[in-house]
Amino acid sequence: MELNLTGRPGGHGTPDDFANLSAVLIDGDDIFLDNGAIHGKSVIERGIDFRTARSAEEVPEGRTVHVVWVTLKRYEGGSGYNGIAAAQLIIDAAKGVGYKAMGPLVNQMDRAVKGTVELSSLPDADKQRLAAFLAQFRTDLWENTPDEVKAKLA
């Protein structure tokens, strides 16, 4: 399966964007697809200066936003979710500053691309919300996802 990071003309926003790599953001009670995160340009990241903070502690009033990288695989019954890996951003929108550790973000993206499910940084409640979101977003993909992948979201 080829990884297409450049996207299609016209931008992202349709279910077909899950063709290889997608980003699901969990920001408090909100959970949504934003493939701009693949390029560090999600709606949450725009206007935030990530250059000044060298650690999460330098953004003491920041909120945690989870970036969940999701990939697909073609199984016997059709395409389903395969790699799912989470990383974090710390964002203080009021001050326009944030922190993101590029190493973990890229490593988690790589894990998802390689078909690994790694969600240790994601609270259990958010794992369940993620599972519900993925199931609702594309029921066909969810139905074709192996039980061992689904179990890691429980």
Side-chain angles (χ1 to χ4, degrees):
M1 190 176 266
E2 182 178 311
L3 181 62
N4 180 7
L5 293 177
T6 59
R8 293 185 320 276
H12 302 287
T14 66
D16 293 335
D17 288 333
F18 269 121
N20 286 309
L21 174 68
S22 292
V24 175
L25 276 66
I26 303 173
D27 182 14
D29 291 335
D30 296 327
I31 184 168
F32 55 95
L33 176 70
D34 188 338
N35 284 334
I38 294 169
H39 307 286
K41 296 180 180 180
S42 68
V43 68
I44 289 174
E45 293 169 284
R46 289 185 209 140
I48 302 296
D49 181 2
F50 289 99
R51 297 171 298 168
T52 57
R54 297 182 191 268
S55 71
E57 291 75 27
E58 292 183 31
V59 189
E61 296 173 30
R63 69 184 191 279
T64 300
V65 176
H66 299 280
V67 178
V68 184
W69 307 113
V70 179
T71 59
L72 301 179
K73 179 178 179 181
R74 179 159 294 282
Y75 298 102
E76 191 173 308
S79 293
Y81 300 113
N82 180 42
I84 307 171
Q88 297 178 342
L89 305 174
I90 308 298
I91 296 178
D92 184 338
K95 293 182 181 173
V97 297
Y99 172 73
K100 60 178 161 182
M102 289 305 295
L105 275 167
V106 172
N107 288 339
Q108 290 297 76
M109 181 188 289
D110 184 58
R111 286 181 180 101
V113 168
K114 291 178 178 174
T116 300
V117 178
E118 205 295 296
L119 300 168
S120 61
S121 68
L122 202 59
D124 288 342
D126 285 336
K127 288 179 195 175
Q128 294 167 2
R129 291 177 52 226
L130 176 63
F133 175 82
L134 294 174
Q136 174 273 325
F137 186 79
R138 288 275 306 267
T139 56
D140 60 322
L141 296 175
W142 186 252
E143 290 168 2
N144 292 325
T145 300
D147 290 338
E148 57 268 16
V149 171
K150 292 178 184 177
K152 294 179 181 177
L153 291 164

